[in-house]
Amino acid sequence: MPQTSKVNSSAAGGPGQVSAPDHGEPPPPQAEPRDLNISKFRYSPRNLSWINLRKHTAALCISVGSFSDPEDLPGLAHFLEHMVFMGSEKYPAENGFDAFLKKHGGSDNASTDCERTIFQFDVQRKYFREALDRWAQFFICPLMIEDAIDREVEAVDSEYQLARPSDSHRKEMLFGSLARPKHPMGKFCWGNAQTLKHEPREKQINTYQRLRDFWKRYYSAHYMTLTVQSKETLNTLEEWVREVFSKVPNNAQPRPDFSDLQDPFDTPTFNKLYRIVPVRKVHALTVTWALPPQGKQYRVKPLHYISWLIGHEGAGSILSLLRKKCWALALFGGNSETGFDQNTTYSIFSISITLTDEGFQNFHQVVHLVFQYMKMLQTLGPQQRIYEEIQKIEANEFHYQEQTDPIEYVENICENMQLFPKEDFLTGDQLMFEYNPEVISLALALLTPERANLLLLSPEHEGHCAHKEKWFGTNYSIEDLPEEWAQRWAGDFDLNPDLHLPAENKFIATDFTLKPSDCPDTEVPVRIVNNERGCLWFKKDNKFKIPKAYVRFNLLSPMIQKSPENLVLFDVFVNILAHNLAEPAYEADVAQLEYKLIAGEHGLVIRVKGFNHKLPLLLNLIVDHLADFTAEPGVFNMFAEQLKKTYFNILIKPERLGKDVRLLILEHCRWSVIQKYQAIMKGLTVDDLMTFVSGLKAQLYTEGLVQGNFTSTESMKFLQYFIDKLQFKRLSVEVPVLFRVVELPQKPHLCKVKSLNKGDANSEVTVYYQSGLKNLREHTLMELLVMHMEEPCFDFLRTKETLGYQVYPTCRNTSGVLGFSITVETQATKFNTDYVENKIEEFLVSFGEKMTNLTDEAFKTQVTALIKLKECEDTHLGEEVDRNWFEVVTQQYVFDRLNREIEALKLITKAELVSWFMEHRDTTSKKLSVHVVGFGEEENDQGDEDQGQALKTSSYGEVSKLTFLPASPMLADATLINDIRAFTSSLTLYPYHKILK
C-alpha cells in the first residue's frame, strides 16, 4: 500500500505484521480560515458555530526542531518542549496548566520534529479564553526553573528508554548516521540523561542557561503559526488572540535554514546493504532513495503518485507477485511526510516489505522485482489516466469528508501554514492539484538501483553483525552489493512480464445521492431483524447527511474459546482470509471503501465503511470469500510461521505482557498469549485449520449494525446474504460475549514476572483495585474518581518522583466487573518495581488526604467537566457508530448510556465520591499488583559486560513460560502469586454481568 499520511490500509494485518487480536477491556463543508498578521505571527481561526464540537482547541507550530540542536547538547529542542510546560511567571505552578485542563475536561501535548515543534490543547468552551492565556505563557515567559531541570531530564530519558526497543526508531537512527558528517540528520534528536545532564556537567556546560538561550533565540513570534478552533465568532477569536499572544517576543532574527545542506546521503556508505538485528522477530527489507526535497512540488505530489503504484496490491503489482511466491506479507511504499522523511534538505522514498522465511532467503530476487517495477514505471512514463483516477478518489474523499478529530485538525492546519500559501492551508497536504508529467518523470528518474540503500532486518543476523549504533545499540553489518547483482542492475536488465499497471477501478463511487427514509426516524438503532440465526440493528443517518455508511457484523461461535489451539487456528484463518481478499478487494480499499477483519474474542468481526454506492459490492466480496474459504499448504505454513513471530513480538513488550498476566488472573477460562504461543510451537496442520473452519461456519449467530445512507430494506439484504451464502445452522448453545471474572480476596496480592525481552530495561507496574459487580451509577462514580486522580498522579509520580515517562490512572471495566488501576512504566536501570509500588502507595495516601479536603467547588467543577464531556454530541458518524457498536458487540444495547450517566452524575455527592475511594483503600480492599520487571542494576541484574557474556547464546529470550520473581521486604504484606491457575482455581467467580442500569 502507499505509505503516506493520507492513505491508510484497512485490511486485517496492520503495518507489516500478521494480526493477532488485542483482547481485554473495551475502550469505550469547512469554514475558510483567515490569515491575520498580528504584528508577529500568522493565525488561523476556525469558527464552528454550526458544528458539534466536543472541545475547543488550539495548536501552535514553531519552525524550529532537532536540526537546530547545538552540537554539544543533543536533544535540547526536545528537552525545551518539555520544560516550557513547567510553569510561567504569570502562572508559576509547575503543573498548573495540566491541572487546569484536567479540571475542565481538557488535555494537551507537544511534539518535536526535525524542523518544527508543535504544541496543542483542548478544553471546554467556557474555559477556552483562560486556557489560551495560560498556554500562551509558554511562549511569553516560561519559568523553566533550574530545580526542575534534573527532574524533567529524567522524563526525557524515560521517553528515550521506552523508544529504544522500537525497531522503527532504531532504523531511523541508523539511517540518520549514514548522512554526510556535520549534517543535522546525524544528530541524536531524542536527548537523554547522558547528553542533557551527565556529559554537560563533565564539560561544565550550563544546561539551564543554554536552555534559556535556545528559547530566546528560537521561540520567536515570527517563527510561529497558530490555529484556534471554536464556536466563538471570528471577531471574538481574533480579539482573544491579539490580547493573549501580542506579548510573544519577536527577536527578528532569520529563521533556521538548512536548505543549503542538500544531498546529505550522496556518500560512499549509502549505496550498500545493511544487515540489522531487530528487537522483534521479523524479516523485513527496506529499499530507500534520497531525493532532492519535494515539498515545493506539493501541487503535483510526484512521490504520492509513485507510491500509489508501488503500493498497489492488485493484479500486476509487486506485492501480488511476492504473495503468490509466499515471499512477502505486506508492502508499504512512499513518503510518510514526517520530518525524517521530508524536510528542506532531502525527501525520502522508501519501499518496506515484510518478508516470510522463504522471502528472506530470496531477498535478492525480491530487490530485483522492485527494481524491475521501477524500471517499468520509468519506461512507460507518467500515466494521466492513473493520475486523474487518484485525483478523483481523493477529491471525493475531501468533498465528503467527515469532521476529523479537532486536535488533529488544528495541528494539521498550523503545520500547513508553515508549508503552503494561504489559499492552500486546508488542501495543500490532501489534494493533487495538477498533472505535470515532467515533474513526475524527474522524480522517477532518480529511483535507480545505483542510488538505492538496502536495509535487511532479520533475527538470522544475530552473531554476524560487528557494528553497533551509538544511541539505540542496534547491531548491524555493512556489505557491498554482490558483484553478480550489482552488474545485473547496472546494465539494461529485462522487465518482468507479470508486472503491469493497475486496471481501471470499478469501485469508485459516482452516485452521491442521499436516500430517503423508508421507516420512522429514531434517536437510537432499532432491531429490524431478529431470528434464531441472527439479528440486525439499523439507524438511518439524517444528522450528518453524507453519502456514506458503516456496516458491521459479528459472527459468534462457541468453537473459538474452546482451546488455545482453536484460538491459534482462528488467528490463522482470519489472516489467510485477509490474504485471499487482499488482491480482489484492493481496488475498493484505495477507492475509500475500507474494510477490516478482526479475530474477536468470541467471533469474527467484519467491518466495512465508505461511500454507500459501491459498499455492497465490497461486503458481498468478503462474504463470498468467507463462504468459499481455501488455504493452500504454502500459505498456511507462511502464516503459521509468521504468527509465531507475532506472538513473540507481543510478549516481549512489557505493557502487553503485563496486560496478559493481569487478565489471565482476572478472567476465568481466558487463554493467554503465552498459551497460544505454546500451542503454535507444538505444530498445527492445514487439515486442522480446514476442520476448524468447517466447524466454525456450520453453526453461527450473526449480529449486525448498519448506519448511514442505506434504507432499512437495503440493510436487511446484508444479513440475508450472510445466511444464504454461508448456509449456517443456529447455535445449539448461546455464546457468552464476556468472560466470568474471579472475585479477588480481600487482601493485597502480587504477581511479579521477569520481562521476556532479554536486556530491555523497561519495567511496568500496575496496581489494580477491584470494585465488583456494579451498575451504571458506580461506573460513573469510578470515572469521576479517575478524573480527579489524573493530574495529582502525574504530578506526584512523574514530575516530582521522576519514576517514568508513562504514568496514568485508568478506569477498568473487565467483562462487566469494575475497578481502577494506576500504571507506571519505569526502567530497571533507575528503580526497582517494589520501590515504584511503594511510591504508588504513597501517592494514594496523599490522594486520600486530598480527597478528604476536597472543596465543594472543586467537586462541582469536576462533575461539570465530566457532564460536559458526555453532553457533547458526536462530531462525525463514525463516533456515533463506535458507541452503538460497543452496545451491540457486548449485547448490552444501552444506546442512551451517555444520557443515563449524565443523570447519574447530577445526583452524585462529594461524600459519596470520597467514601467510594476510601472503600477501596480499607483493609478489605481487593488489590492486585502486576509487575513486569526489566533488566538493570536496580533489579540486581548483571552489568552490561557480564550480561553481554551471559546472553551470548541469543538476545531473543524464551517466551513460552513466565519466570515468577520474589518480592522484597518492602512488599512483605502482599501475598505472592507464583502459580496463576492454582491461585485462581480456589476463588469465587462472579456471575456474568452487564452494566445495564
Side-chain angles (χ1 to χ4, degrees):
M1 62 165 288
Q3 181 187 320
T4 73
S5 59
K6 302 304 167 192
V7 183
N8 296 303
S9 172
S10 55
Q17 67 175 20
V18 172
S19 67
D22 180 14
H23 298 324
E25 298 93 333
Q30 297 178 322
E32 191 72 25
R34 293 189 296 171
D35 179 29
L36 302 175
N37 293 314
I38 308 181
S39 72
K40 300 165 187 171
F41 58 85
R42 290 186 293 171
Y43 148 69
S44 171
R46 188 181 184 216
N47 175 266
L48 293 151
S49 56
W50 54 275
I51 282 181
N52 294 310
L53 269 186
R54 282 192 179 277
K55 298 176 192 172
H56 295 241
T57 57
L60 185 143
C61 182
I62 310 175
S63 60
V64 65
S66 58
F67 273 11
S68 297
D69 281 347
E71 293 293 336
D72 56 352
L73 278 172
L76 192 66
H78 180 210
F79 185 34
L80 177 59
E81 170 232 298
H82 277 242
M83 284 299 300
V84 295
F85 278 88
M86 305 191 75
S88 63
E89 291 177 15
K90 187 173 181 179
Y91 303 101
E94 203 165 80
N95 274 334
F97 186 61
D98 282 334
F100 178 82
L101 293 178
K102 291 288 190 299
K103 187 187 296 184
H104 301 298
S107 64
D108 62 345
N109 210 340
S111 59
T112 304
D113 210 329
C114 295
E115 295 178 291
R116 284 178 290 280
T117 302
I118 298 179
F119 297 83
Q120 44 87 346
F121 78 89
D122 61 7
V123 76
Q124 293 172 36
R125 178 179 183 177
K126 182 178 178 181
Y127 303 99
F128 189 49
R129 168 65 175 79
E130 184 177 349
L132 275 175
D133 186 49
R134 289 172 174 269
W135 187 60
Q137 305 309 311
F138 296 173
F139 318 110
I140 296 171
C141 53
L143 276 184
M144 296 194 289
I145 56 175
E146 203 160 357
D147 176 59
I149 284 184
D150 278 358
R151 285 184 281 113
E152 197 57 25
V153 162
E154 294 304 324
V156 172
D157 188 74
S158 179
E159 187 178 357
Y160 155 72
Q161 296 289 351
L162 288 170
R164 284 195 84 220
S166 163
D167 285 321
S168 60
H169 292 318
R170 293 161 80 89
K171 255 174 55 177
E172 283 190 357
M173 284 306 302
L174 176 58
F175 190 86
S177 71
L178 306 183
R180 187 183 301 129
K182 300 299 181 182
H183 188 278
M185 197 60 231
K187 292 182 177 181
F188 175 51
C189 59
W190 290 83
N192 61 12
Q194 177 187 339
T195 67
L196 296 169
K197 183 162 82 174
H198 305 310
E199 288 183 358
R201 282 179 181 168
E202 291 170 9
K203 298 175 182 177
Q204 297 185 326
I205 294 172
N206 187 334
T207 304
Y208 169 70
Q209 187 57 50
R210 295 286 291 281
L211 196 69
R212 298 198 71 86
D213 292 345
F214 194 91
W215 178 87
K216 188 175 181 180
R217 167 64 180 86
Y218 293 111
Y219 277 43
S220 178
H222 67 303
Y223 296 172
M224 298 177 181
T225 49
L226 171 70
T227 303
V228 294
Q229 176 172 274
S230 172
K231 284 188 177 181
E232 306 296 343
T233 66
L234 289 178
N235 286 337
T236 299
L237 289 175
E238 180 177 339
E239 180 184 334
W240 287 359
V241 168
R242 287 185 183 277
E243 290 173 357
V244 169
F245 290 91
S246 60
K247 293 181 181 177
V248 175
N250 181 1
N251 63 29
Q253 294 193 46
R255 285 176 177 236
D257 185 5
F258 302 94
S259 59
D260 60 330
L261 302 175
Q262 296 197 11
D263 297 322
F265 297 105
D266 185 14
T267 66
T269 57
F270 188 76
N271 183 222
K272 293 185 183 294
L273 168 64
Y274 288 77
R275 295 181 184 265
I276 299 172
V277 181
V279 174
R280 296 178 303 141
K281 285 192 174 179
V282 63
H283 302 303
L285 170 70
T286 302
V287 184
T288 305
W289 292 268
L291 286 70
Q294 299 290 306
K296 291 182 179 178
Q297 305 296 347
Y298 76 93
R299 297 191 65 81
V300 181
K301 293 185 173 60
L303 299 189
H304 185 50
Y305 167 82
I306 299 167
S307 73
W308 188 278
L309 294 169
I310 292 291
H312 204 275
E313 298 181 19
S317 68
I318 298 172
L319 188 57
S320 174
L321 265 63
L322 292 176
R323 279 178 170 152
K324 285 171 183 173
K325 293 174 178 285
C326 290
W327 284 3
L329 296 157
L331 181 151
F332 297 84
N335 180 296
S336 69
E337 299 176 12
T338 63
F340 175 84
D341 269 18
Q342 184 153 293
N343 53 61
T344 58
T345 75
Y346 68 86
S347 288
I348 287 294
F349 190 89
S350 63
I351 301 172
S352 296
I353 305 171
T354 305
L355 302 172
T356 62
D357 292 350
E358 193 174 344
F360 169 69
Q361 298 301 327
N362 292 278
F363 84 91
H364 283 113
Q365 294 282 3
V366 175
V367 175
H368 185 56
L369 195 64
V370 168
F371 289 160
Q372 285 181 308
Y373 196 90
M374 298 307 304
K375 184 177 179 181
M376 179 193 76
L377 295 183
Q378 291 157 354
T379 303
L380 295 175
Q383 302 291 304
Q384 188 166 356
R385 172 188 69 82
I386 293 174
Y387 191 94
E388 290 175 352
E389 188 174 278
I390 304 169
Q391 264 187 320
K392 185 176 182 181
I393 289 170
E394 299 196 341
N396 285 347
E397 181 61 21
F398 181 80
H399 186 69
Y400 294 105
Q401 68 180 301
E402 297 184 64
Q403 187 185 342
T404 57
D405 174 70
I407 282 287
E408 290 180 14
Y409 187 84
V410 293
E411 276 189 328
N412 202 43
I413 297 302
C414 76
E415 188 169 17
N416 285 357
M417 292 169 71
Q418 300 268 355
L419 301 173
F420 310 123
K422 182 173 68 173
E423 61 271 18
D424 294 329
F425 284 171
L426 293 180
T427 57
D429 59 335
Q430 296 192 55
L431 297 181
M432 300 173 75
F433 298 90
E434 57 193 52
Y435 174 65
N436 187 324
E438 290 77 18
V439 170
I440 297 171
S441 295
L442 282 172
L444 269 173
L446 298 172
L447 305 179
T448 57
E450 65 271 14
R451 292 176 52 90
N453 169 270
L454 306 181
L455 299 180
L456 184 64
L457 281 72
S458 174
E460 301 293 320
H461 295 153
E462 189 177 32
H464 305 287
C465 294
H467 299 278
K468 194 169 190 175
E469 192 274 324
K470 178 179 179 180
W471 299 109
F472 280 63
T474 307
N475 292 312
Y476 67 97
S477 67
I478 311 171
E479 300 176 15
D480 290 324
L481 298 176
E483 188 62 28
E484 173 195 353
W485 290 99
Q487 287 184 3
R488 177 186 291 193
W489 294 329
D492 187 21
F493 53 87
D494 293 334
L495 297 179
N496 189 317
D498 294 325
L499 294 172
H500 58 80
L501 296 174
E504 188 173 348
N505 194 326
K506 65 182 180 182
F507 284 94
I508 299 176
T510 56
D511 182 358
F512 304 105
T513 307
L514 295 179
K515 298 174 184 287
S517 298
D518 64 347
C519 60
D521 290 343
T522 58
E523 289 296 316
V524 298
V526 294
R527 190 154 43 191
I528 59 173
V529 178
N530 189 21
N531 58 47
E532 61 185 10
R533 289 197 284 178
C535 72
L536 182 67
W537 296 85
F538 168 79
K539 183 176 183 293
K540 174 75 170 70
D541 170 49
N542 288 308
K543 177 181 177 182
F544 297 98
K545 300 185 187 306
I546 54 173
K548 293 183 179 183
Y550 290 72
V551 181
R552 297 183 180 182
F553 280 93
N554 190 16
L555 281 61
L556 294 164
S557 168
M559 288 192 64
I560 295 168
Q561 285 289 342
K562 279 188 175 178
S563 67
E565 288 76 15
N566 276 17
L567 279 168
V568 172
L569 291 169
F570 186 43
D571 284 347
V572 174
F573 162 62
V574 173
N575 278 285
I576 295 180
L577 178 59
H579 172 82
N580 293 346
L581 275 163
E583 187 168 311
Y586 187 73
E587 286 184 350
D589 194 26
V590 297
Q592 308 296 346
L593 302 182
E594 299 181 24
Y595 72 98
K596 192 166 189 178
L597 310 176
I598 302 169
E601 292 181 312
H602 306 282
L604 170 62
V605 177
I606 298 173
R607 305 195 322 202
V608 298
K609 70 172 183 177
F611 292 111
N612 57 276
H613 181 206
K614 300 292 180 76
L615 203 59
L617 289 177
L618 176 59
L619 184 62
N620 291 351
L621 183 68
I622 294 170
V623 178
D624 291 346
H625 277 73
L626 176 59
D628 302 327
F629 178 80
T630 58
E632 297 293 328
V635 173
F636 172 84
N637 292 333
M638 174 175 74
F639 280 104
E641 285 303 312
Q642 195 64 21
L643 268 174
K644 293 175 186 177
K645 299 183 180 74
T646 298
Y647 295 151
F648 177 93
N649 295 336
I650 289 172
L651 290 168
I652 63 173
K653 295 179 180 178
E655 70 276 12
R656 296 296 297 271
L657 180 60
K659 178 179 180 178
D660 203 40
V661 169
R662 176 171 52 82
L663 293 179
L664 186 61
I665 293 170
L666 293 176
E667 293 185 329
H668 181 63
C669 291
R670 165 177 287 282
W671 304 107
S672 69
V673 180
I674 287 181
Q675 289 166 309
K676 289 166 68 173
Y677 182 78
Q678 291 168 343
I680 200 168
M681 293 304 289
K682 290 176 185 173
L684 295 165
T685 67
V686 69
D687 291 336
D688 294 330
L689 174 66
M690 296 312 295
T691 301
F692 169 79
V693 173
S694 297
L696 178 82
K697 294 195 294 183
Q699 291 188 348
L700 292 169
Y701 183 80
T702 303
E703 190 159 20
L705 171 68
V706 179
Q707 282 194 236
N709 193 35
F710 282 123
T711 64
S712 63
T713 304
E714 291 171 319
S715 301
M716 285 188 273
K717 293 177 182 176
F718 298 148
L719 177 59
Q720 194 58 47
Y721 196 77
F722 274 95
I723 294 172
D724 292 344
K725 286 294 292 187
L726 297 178
Q727 293 291 306
F728 57 86
K729 296 180 180 178
R730 69 178 182 88
L731 292 176
S732 54
V733 293
E734 186 178 348
V735 178
V737 293
L738 303 169
F739 293 98
R740 291 187 69 184
V741 178
V742 300
E743 181 176 1
L744 292 173
Q746 294 181 335
K747 57 181 178 180
H749 281 76
L750 167 65
C751 187
K752 189 174 176 182
V753 300
K754 195 67 176 172
S755 170
L756 299 178
N757 188 3
K758 271 192 173 182
D760 181 15
N762 290 300
S763 301
E764 184 187 78
V765 177
T766 295
V767 177
Y768 166 78
Y769 288 87
Q770 187 179 70
S771 188
L773 301 182
K774 303 296 178 182
N775 57 29
L776 190 141
R777 178 181 175 82
E778 281 88 4
H779 185 272
T780 307
L781 200 56
M782 191 72 81
E783 284 186 298
L784 187 61
L785 175 68
V786 168
M787 202 171 182
H788 270 280
M789 196 180 285
E790 282 179 333
E791 193 281 325
C793 178
F794 183 93
D795 185 54
F796 188 100
L797 297 174
R798 176 178 148 167
T799 303
K800 291 186 170 64
E801 297 293 337
T802 66
L803 296 179
Y805 181 69
Q806 293 283 7
V807 171
Y808 53 91
T810 310
C811 180
R812 299 282 182 189
N813 175 358
T814 308
S815 286
V817 175
L818 285 183
F820 76 90
S821 67
I822 294 176
T823 298
V824 174
E825 295 179 17
T826 189
Q827 285 78 43
T829 50
K830 301 176 183 178
F831 305 103
N832 68 58
T833 58
D834 292 6
Y835 175 84
V836 170
E837 172 147 351
N838 267 348
K839 287 297 176 183
I840 292 174
E841 178 63 26
E842 282 183 29
F843 161 69
L844 289 169
V845 170
S846 71
F847 181 72
E849 294 169 358
K850 182 182 177 72
M851 293 301 290
T852 303
N853 298 316
L854 184 68
T855 65
D856 291 341
E857 182 185 0
F859 170 76
K860 289 175 183 176
T861 298
Q862 204 73 73
V863 170
T864 301
L866 189 52
I867 288 174
K868 290 291 185 185
L869 283 177
K870 293 178 182 292
E871 281 179 339
C872 290
E873 296 185 42
D874 300 303
T875 55
H876 58 85
L877 181 58
E879 281 189 359
E880 183 182 313
V881 172
D882 286 342
R883 278 193 305 103
N884 291 333
W885 180 243
F886 169 75
E887 299 297 335
V888 172
V889 83
T890 58
Q891 296 183 350
Q892 296 182 106
Y893 314 122
V894 185
F895 296 110
D896 62 343
R897 186 177 297 275
L898 287 175
N899 290 334
R900 296 190 191 191
E901 289 176 341
I902 289 168
E903 292 309 309
L905 272 169
K906 290 176 180 177
L907 299 175
I908 290 173
T909 66
K910 183 181 76 171
E912 280 182 286
L913 180 65
V914 175
S915 174
W916 177 252
F917 175 70
M918 294 307 177
E919 283 174 24
H920 292 82
R921 294 284 297 151
D922 64 23
T923 54
T924 62
S925 65
K926 302 166 186 175
K927 176 184 174 183
L928 171 66
S929 301
V930 176
H931 297 194
V932 177
V933 181
F935 292 81
E937 52 268 29
E938 294 300 322
E939 297 292 354
N940 299 315
D941 289 307
Q942 298 162 309
D944 288 345
E945 292 183 11
D946 294 337
Q947 186 174 313
Q949 292 295 319
L951 302 181
K952 268 191 174 177
T953 51
S954 175
S955 62
Y956 298 99
E958 176 53 60
V959 301
S960 61
K961 63 179 180 180
L962 294 171
T963 300
F964 294 91
L965 301 175
S968 70
M970 277 191 276
L971 300 181
D973 292 342
T975 302
L976 273 176
I977 301 172
N978 288 322
D979 185 328
I980 292 174
R981 286 301 180 212
F983 169 67
T984 57
S985 62
S986 63
L987 300 181
T988 302
L989 293 178
Y990 286 116
Y992 289 115
H993 180 67
K994 298 173 183 176
I995 301 173
L996 304 178
K997 58 183 181 179

